[in-house]
Amino acid sequence: MTGLGATNRNVQQLKKLLGRRSERHATRQFVIEGPVLSTEAVRAGWICLAQYVPEGSGVKVEGAGPVNELAAGVLERVASTQSPQAPLTLAKMRDHDVVAVLAAASFIVVLDRVGDPGNVGTILRSAEAAGAEAIVLTPGSVDVFNPKVLRSSAGAVFHVPVLVATLEEVADSGFELAGTSSHEFPDRTVVAHTEADLTRRLAIVMGNEAAGLPDEWNDHDGPIDTWLTIRHRGRSESLNVAMAATIIVFEAARQRAEYQPGSDPG
């Protein structure tokens, strides 16, 4: 039996799903690359529809769907990496009830128009490790099912709900919004992240890589309730957004682990 060629309809669909956000969301399907991420998806209960492997390789991830064999060289032509690993697993997106997830959470991370897939994946990984109960991407952010986001998240994307919502929707859910600021601005009271109270019902908001959160937002205008900064030395004016998010979410995790309800966190 000959494996599927590059012109096969299903193989072409895999390539479209890997390359086009619009195709992923129109079909509510995406592609997971490699055995590690495919196994994580299965363990987390995601629905996997099929897996594609090189002909004769014997590669298979239990629970990742029926195995389809690809002709020689097809995996390399379809996958998004230079040295791809099988399988390519076709999976279904999950539909989250945004209102219900936000209502049930007490600690979330919000990415406002963050556009780099590597940064988003890294923040997902850090947030999940720090105990965040949901990640919110505002409209204009990169697609969470982008192949590079999936890889950079190291499987975290399969274990914590990722929502698309506005900052207004987050605020309306009763969260205190803590935004990050690397500079002093007029009418913006900035507190070191280690000195702020991060034990409340908290949404940590990280801004776009180049622009950050809007300069015109301050103590009086905009949705941010508390402004956080990471004090640092040296010539660098600011940290990479993924680095900054990691530092802040683990400080929040530390405070929240030590805080006992009914005590005075201050």
Side-chain angles (χ1 to χ4, degrees), residues 93-237:
M93 292 184 185
R94 280 182 175 172
D95 293 314
H96 295 291
D97 183 329
V98 174
V99 173
V101 172
L102 292 179
S106 63
F107 172 34
I108 68 172
V109 176
V110 182
L111 307 184
D112 184 36
R113 298 167 294 114
V114 176
D116 181 83
N119 283 336
V120 171
T122 299
I123 295 170
L124 281 168
R125 184 176 184 177
S126 296
E128 192 258 342
E133 296 154 289
I135 313 295
V136 173
L137 303 180
T138 66
S141 299
V142 71
D143 179 26
V144 72
F145 297 103
N146 177 296
K148 189 172 181 180
V149 173
L150 297 180
R151 290 195 300 273
S152 300
S153 81
V157 67
F158 302 124
H159 294 278
V160 61
V162 181
L163 316 173
V164 176
T166 65
L167 286 173
E168 289 72 24
E169 288 175 303
V170 174
D172 288 345
S173 296
F175 287 93
E176 178 177 327
L177 272 60
T180 53
S181 179
S182 60
H183 301 85
E184 300 287 344
F185 288 90
D187 298 322
R188 184 184 287 186
T189 303
V190 180
V191 182
H193 76 292
T194 52
E195 298 170 6
D197 175 14
L198 304 180
T199 64
R200 307 182 193 281
R201 192 156 182 264
L202 181 70
I204 296 173
V205 184
M206 308 300 300
N208 173 266
E209 292 91 342
L213 296 174
D215 291 352
E216 60 269 22
W217 290 358
N218 53 43
D219 295 344
H220 313 292
D221 296 311
I224 303 300
D225 301 298
T226 303
W227 289 99
L228 307 175
T229 192
I230 299 170
R231 307 288 187 204
H232 57 279
R233 298 170 181 158
R235 63 180 181 81
S236 178
E237 293 186 356

Side-chain angles (χ1 to χ4, degrees), residues 10-31 49 78 89-91 93 143 145-147:
N10 291 338
V11 174
Q12 287 291 305
Q13 181 63 10
L14 289 178
K15 193 168 185 177
K16 289 179 182 178
L17 290 171
L18 284 166
R20 300 180 191 172
R21 176 178 187 152
S22 59
E23 189 71 22
R24 292 191 289 269
H25 287 272
T27 61
R28 305 298 294 165
Q29 296 177 356
F30 65 104
V31 178
L49 303 172
V78 173
T89 299
L90 180 65
M93 292 184 185
D143 179 26
F145 297 103
N146 177 296

Side-chain angles (χ1 to χ4, degrees), residues 50-98:
Q51 52 187 316
Y52 294 81
V53 305
E55 188 175 20
S57 67
V59 173
K60 180 181 180 181
V61 171
E62 291 296 331
V67 175
N68 298 272
E69 293 196 332
L70 302 173
V74 172
L75 179 71
E76 291 76 11
R77 293 177 64 180
V78 173
S80 67
T81 58
Q82 289 187 343
S83 301
Q85 289 186 302
L88 300 181
T89 299
L90 180 65
K92 289 185 66 174
M93 292 184 185
R94 280 182 175 172
D95 293 314
H96 295 291
D97 183 329
V98 174

